[in-house]
Amino acid sequence: MMNQPEHYSPSSVDAEEDRILRTWTPLMLRTILIVSTIVLIAGIVATILHSPGFFIDRFHAVQKSQLHDAEGFSTLLRGSFAGDPHAIMTIGLYILTLVPLVRVAFTFVLFLKDRDYVYVAATAYVLSGLLLGMALGRIG
Amino acid sequence: MVTVLGGLLILAVLAGFVGALSGLGGGVFIVPGLVILAHVPMQVAVGASLISVVATSAGASVAFVRDGWTNLRVAIILECATVTGALTGAYLAGVISQPVLELLFALVMLQSAYFSISKHGDEMLPKSDPLCERLRMGGEIPGDDGRMTTYGVRNLPGGAVLMVLAGIMSGLLGVGAGAVKVVAMDTLMKIPLKVSSATSNFMIGVTAGAGALVFLSRGDVAAVVAAPVALGVTGGALIGSRVLPHANVNSLRKLFAAILVLIAVEMGWRALAGI
């Protein structure tokens, strides 16, 4: 790794925004990663504790392309609190997908603050693309 | 149960480890691993892989963002193209047959193998072309003497076309398509290699995120596969990034390229037998 001066800006975002970006983004990314890891591990532990044949039965069903139907967030949350391993793991996976959403949302705010409207529009397009992904999955 | 769960975890850790060492990411290794060794349908492997690509990209980007190598302006403009491609690819993955997907994946593996052994230029332009200048896409990086050097960006339309392709590959086949993204930025747009790699890493997470959300909300992500795979690939990538500074990268890349070609032949053979 090259030696870097302490304050250098890689692109044209100004110094204050650059500082905010570099301080908060890694913190947010780490927090989401840690939370999702904990939830995923909890889901795997719940799978092991559920019943001896549960994991194998589910895995063989997946091999035959027999997947769960798509479920809404409220169903998944209810299932998680009831200790359903599939619901807990799916919630953990959704939390993981917050990483790109949060990063793009944060970038959107930065460009908005900078009143750089070409980039505000581009970021809004990317953000809406991510949200459209969920809608597209539900209808497709 | 312990054997299958342990097997999935070991497979995922290995894919993440090799993905980090080769610089190609875990997706290109975990998808064939799941299809060939775990006998999981291609769509399920792609869904699980997309989730793990999001996780590894987030882990690696912590350091990139902190050190400031990512060019956000370039990333966001090009991401418009990759997200459009990723949504198209993820939608198509639901309608394209398994053998065709496997054949396409074999071709992507061959491209990745070529990328890992080909040389990448690190030519820097002092000024951007008019379009990139108007969009203020250029930036600064420290030169060999530690002084800041300005770099320019060019050929945004060419880069954007390749990015649509990278997005389709990501959404359709569950790979980060970093190999295509870095080629677009480094070779076509003349962005310095380290900035291209960091910016590509940011973009990989967002592109894979768009695809992953389509798969998740469609119910095509099997949690019993995706959860251990996401944890394993992330863990493997973490170990790989620690080993990387001490490894003989050039010899390893040749080895991994040979392995990729072998797996591509196996995937291609399976696909042709199934068509």
Side-chain angles (χ1 to χ4, degrees):
Chain A
M1 170 108 27
M2 281 183 251
N3 290 326
Q4 296 151 28
E6 213 171 309
H7 305 288
Y8 93 87
S9 176
S11 65
S12 18
V13 281
D14 72 31
E16 173 62 10
E17 287 165 356
D18 192 40
R19 192 187 62 77
I20 297 170
L21 189 80
R22 284 205 228 172
T23 314
W24 284 98
T25 312
L27 190 71
M28 284 188 309
L29 294 183
R30 277 214 188 92
T31 309
I32 298 171
L33 275 175
I34 291 168
V35 172
S36 65
T37 303
I38 292 170
V39 177
L40 287 175
I41 291 174
I44 292 174
V45 171
T47 307
I48 295 167
L49 297 177
H50 191 275
S51 64
F54 179 80
F55 183 88
I56 287 290
D57 289 347
R58 278 303 312 144
F59 185 74
H60 287 325
V62 168
Q63 285 180 316
K64 292 176 200 147
S65 294
Q66 293 162 357
L67 301 178
H68 276 264
D69 287 334
E71 292 149 316
F73 288 115
S74 54
T75 314
L76 287 172
L77 279 174
R78 269 200 307 276
S80 297
F81 288 116
D84 172 17
H86 166 77
I88 299 173
M89 287 188 286
T90 308
I91 289 280
L93 298 173
Y94 266 113
I95 294 173
L96 206 51
T97 60
L98 280 178
V99 171
L101 270 171
V102 168
R103 285 196 75 177
V104 178
F106 202 68
T107 312
F108 177 78
V109 174
L110 277 184
F111 284 128
L112 195 65
K113 216 171 135 253
D114 206 22
R115 296 185 183 190
D116 199 336
Y117 294 115
V118 172
Y119 284 93
V120 170
T123 318
Y125 179 85
V126 175
L127 203 54
S128 50
L130 283 167
L131 298 175
L132 183 71
M134 275 193 272
L136 204 61
R138 296 221 182 278
I139 58 170
Chain B
M1 180 198 77
V2 175
T3 322
V4 178
L5 184 59
L8 278 177
L9 273 169
I10 292 170
L11 188 67
V13 170
L14 275 175
F17 180 72
V18 176
L21 274 188
S22 62
L24 294 169
V28 80
F29 295 99
I30 193 66
V31 172
L34 286 173
V35 171
I36 296 170
L37 300 175
H39 306 293
V40 160
M42 185 75 182
Q43 270 90 346
V44 172
V46 169
S49 174
L50 277 172
I51 303 267
S52 68
V53 171
V54 173
T56 43
S57 160
S61 63
V62 169
F64 278 135
V65 174
R66 199 182 48 226
D67 298 341
W69 289 99
T70 309
N71 186 324
L72 267 186
R73 288 178 189 270
V74 169
I76 287 298
I77 292 290
L78 292 178
E79 200 51 50
C80 293
T82 51
V83 163
T84 308
L87 293 178
T88 312
Y91 187 75
L92 288 175
V95 292
I96 291 181
S97 70
Q98 166 132 347
V100 175
L101 283 178
E102 288 183 4
L103 191 62
L104 289 172
F105 198 92
L107 294 173
V108 167
M109 293 184 85
L110 291 178
Q111 189 267 340
S112 295
Y114 175 74
F115 172 82
S116 70
I117 52 169
S118 60
K119 296 224 181 315
H120 307 288
D122 209 4
E123 182 191 342
M124 261 171 54
L125 296 174
K127 262 190 82 180
S128 295
D129 68 13
L131 175 62
C132 297
E133 181 68 46
R134 204 160 59 210
L135 290 167
R136 290 184 289 147
M137 284 185 147
E140 286 183 323
I141 53 165
D144 292 337
D145 56 359
R147 292 229 301 259
M148 300 310 289
T149 315
T150 308
Y151 65 86
V153 179
R154 71 164 202 195
N155 199 0
L156 177 60
V161 169
L162 265 191
M163 290 298 173
V164 174
L165 180 72
I168 293 175
M169 277 165 62
S170 184
L172 190 62
L173 304 170
V175 294
V180 176
K181 287 180 175 127
V182 172
V183 167
M185 284 188 272
D186 169 55
T187 312
L188 222 56
M189 300 174 72
K190 300 291 176 203
I191 298 172
L193 189 58
K194 184 124 193 187
V195 178
S196 296
S197 301
T199 307
S200 157
N201 180 272
F202 171 86
M203 294 176 63
I204 283 170
V206 180
T207 316
L213 282 167
V214 176
F215 273 76
L216 263 172
S217 52
R218 195 163 53 199
D220 273 356
V221 174
V224 283
V225 176
V229 162
L231 290 175
V233 172
T234 313
L238 199 68
I239 302 167
S241 61
R242 295 270 157 88
V243 174
L244 189 61
H246 315 288
N248 181 349
V249 177
N250 283 337
S251 325
L252 277 177
R253 286 197 170 168
K254 281 180 194 148
L255 175 70
F256 294 141
I259 294 172
L260 273 178
V261 172
L262 285 176
I263 308 174
V265 171
E266 166 70 20
M267 285 283 275
W269 183 254
R270 279 171 58 98
L272 291 173
I275 286 176

